[in-house]
Amino acid sequence: HSNQYDPKNRPKRHPPSDEVCKCTFSEGEGEVKCDEHCMNRMMYNECIGNSETKVGEKNPYWNCNHGLDCGNRALGRRQFAKCKPQREQGKGWGLVTVKGVQKDGLVQEYAGEIIDEKTKKERLNEWAKDHPNDPNFYIMALEPGWFIDARVKGNLSRFINHSCRPNCRLVPVNVGGHTRVGIIANRNIKPGDFLCYDYQFDTRDRDKFVCRCGAENCRGSMKRGNKGREGDGENKKKTMNKKDTWLQAKIKFEKDRKFLQDIELDQLTRLNQVGINLPGEGGEGVRTVSAGPDVAALDKMRISRICLWRNVIKGSDFASRYLRATTSLPRKKMTKSLDSIDVLSLLK
């Protein structure tokens, strides 16, 4: 599959450079037209030009005279390495090479729907709303203001996993005025090896995208950044296996539980410290707290802004507290006579 464009909303085509590469070629074993010394290749431009086509030399993006045998046309001619999806331990699906790839060779193209900034935000927000426990997404930056979304309309490259020590890299290439992203091998890749590149997520949620690549230089997250956490004096090995993940989750659970227990204890303490009289009143006619807040104090609360009425908690056995404060009977005698005391008459 190649990139899918919306005819009514697509990036503008880059203008031609009006320059032609000056690569020379001599017949010989191992000689390649437009090799790594090609001017177009060094400028991340693919060679364009074929006299056998209908447009021929009238093509404004013509920049090479070597024809289809040129070695700098891999993306345009879809000369990808043969790959296949395969399950990768601890990472879900991955992508492996069938015949291997030489260093600096084209592995795949990252392809999908070309969307703008607004559409990207809408899709990410919609996905987060519908799938709150699945932070995975397949959107990659293409050029300023434009992105590639490979979730629905993609190719095999969407199966490539992340690694802090990748064997591939992403290279944006201008192909006839259109920016395309090639996945290039960093080193020789053997047949059956899993492909990987550094995702370098642009996100503030570092801990949301945990890296499990297991590399010696693993930074512990797929977030873009330097090796190790910011502020670390040394580069430490940061691997996250299943045991570590469960341990962190347990620690977080214990902290949350203790926080809730502290809140409950604080509420109980405040209730036990409430006096039997309403604050600010004394002498004759003082009103007492018998079974919760007095409705008559509602207006005073609102005017004085003492507290919010909806936050006032009723209960805590105010009647028993009143008895303890107004009687001098011994504890045992008072306990025996509690059932026979008319609390309401005492409050009057």
Side-chain angles (χ1 to χ4, degrees), residues 274-279 287-294 315 318-319 321-322 347:
V274 175
I276 63 172
N277 298 330
L278 287 176
R287 290 177 295 174
T288 59
V289 181
S290 57
D294 191 350
F318 288 91
R321 186 157 58 247
Y322 176 84
L347 293 176

Side-chain angles (χ1 to χ4, degrees), residues 210 229 240 243-253:
V210 178
R229 291 183 180 270
M240 291 291 294
K243 182 178 179 181
D244 296 332
T245 304
W246 277 109
L247 181 60
Q248 286 191 357
K250 182 179 179 181
I251 294 174
K252 186 176 185 303
F253 173 77

Side-chain angles (χ1 to χ4, degrees), residues 30-314:
E31 293 290 335
V32 178
K33 299 177 181 178
C34 296
D35 55 13
E36 64 273 10
H37 302 294
C38 174
M39 178 187 67
N40 289 332
R41 186 191 290 266
M42 290 188 292
M43 297 296 293
Y44 299 102
N45 296 322
E46 269 212 352
C47 291
I48 301 292
N50 184 6
S51 59
E52 298 179 1
T53 61
K54 185 176 180 180
V55 178
E57 296 182 2
K58 294 181 180 180
N59 187 345
Y61 290 90
W62 185 294
N63 60 4
C64 177
N65 296 317
H66 290 299
L68 297 180
D69 293 334
C70 167
N72 185 32
R73 305 192 184 203
L75 266 176
R77 302 192 65 185
R78 301 174 58 79
Q79 296 174 340
F80 306 134
K82 189 174 182 180
C83 304
K84 66 176 182 179
Q86 185 172 309
R87 300 290 291 186
E88 188 171 3
Q89 185 177 4
K91 301 180 182 180
W93 284 101
L95 194 70
V96 299
T97 61
V98 176
K99 297 182 179 180
V101 186
Q102 295 295 320
K103 181 180 178 181
D104 296 327
L106 177 64
V107 179
Q108 288 285 322
E109 175 185 6
Y110 196 88
E113 293 180 86
I114 307 303
I115 58 177
D116 58 10
E117 180 80 27
K118 179 181 178 182
T119 306
K120 181 203 73 169
K121 291 182 179 180
E122 291 175 351
R123 293 189 180 185
L124 289 178
N125 292 334
E126 182 179 358
W127 181 261
K129 181 179 179 181
D130 297 338
H131 306 82
N133 297 322
D134 184 4
N136 297 314
F137 57 89
Y138 300 86
I139 297 180
M140 178 184 294
L142 177 65
E143 56 185 51
W146 296 94
F147 303 85
I148 306 174
D149 186 1
R151 179 177 294 281
V152 179
K153 299 180 180 180
N155 58 6
L156 290 176
S157 63
R158 71 194 299 275
F159 292 106
I160 300 179
N161 284 316
H162 162 86
S163 176
C164 296
R165 187 179 181 273
N167 54 18
C168 297
R169 66 183 183 275
L170 303 176
V171 179
V173 181
N174 185 331
V175 184
H178 301 290
T179 302
R180 296 166 66 174
V181 178
I183 302 175
I184 310 298
N186 285 336
R187 52 184 179 270
N188 293 336
I189 303 176
K190 300 177 182 179
D193 283 356
F194 281 98
L195 301 169
C196 54
Y197 61 85
D198 192 340
Y199 283 4
Q200 298 190 28
F201 281 156
D202 185 8
T203 177
R204 297 179 180 178
D205 299 328
R206 174 190 175 90
D207 297 332
K208 195 174 182 180
F209 300 95
V210 178
C211 175
R212 299 180 178 86
C213 69
E216 293 182 358
N217 63 332
C218 179
R219 56 180 180 267
S221 173
M222 290 179 267
K223 181 183 183 299
R224 178 187 304 172
N226 297 326
K227 182 165 59 175
R229 291 183 180 270
E230 296 180 3
D232 284 350
E234 300 179 357
N235 294 325
K236 300 179 181 179
K237 182 178 180 181
K238 299 202 175 281
T239 57
M240 291 291 294
N241 53 30
K242 189 175 181 180
K243 182 178 179 181
D244 296 332
T245 304
W246 277 109
L247 181 60
Q248 286 191 357
K250 182 179 179 181
I251 294 174
K252 186 176 185 303
F253 173 77
E254 293 295 337
K255 287 182 179 179
D256 293 341
R257 186 171 67 173
K258 185 177 184 304
F259 175 74
L260 295 176
Q261 290 176 346
D262 291 341
I263 291 179
E264 185 178 359
L265 180 61
D266 181 64
Q267 290 178 344
L268 183 61
T269 302
R270 286 189 293 106
L271 287 174
N272 291 334
Q273 292 174 349
V274 175
I276 63 172
N277 298 330
L278 287 176
E281 296 191 357
E284 296 183 1
V286 61
R287 290 177 295 174
T288 59
V289 181
S290 57
D294 191 350
V295 180
L298 175 59
D299 292 336
K300 290 185 178 181
M301 285 185 180
R302 289 176 174 173
I303 296 173
S304 302
R305 297 183 178 181
I306 298 175
C307 63
L308 293 176
W309 182 260
R310 64 174 179 267
N311 291 341
V312 178
I313 301 175
K314 297 183 179 181

Side-chain angles (χ1 to χ4, degrees), residues 320-332:
S320 298
R321 186 157 58 247
Y322 176 84
L323 291 175
R324 288 195 297 270
T326 57
T327 181
S328 58
L329 295 176
R331 183 179 297 273
K332 292 183 179 180

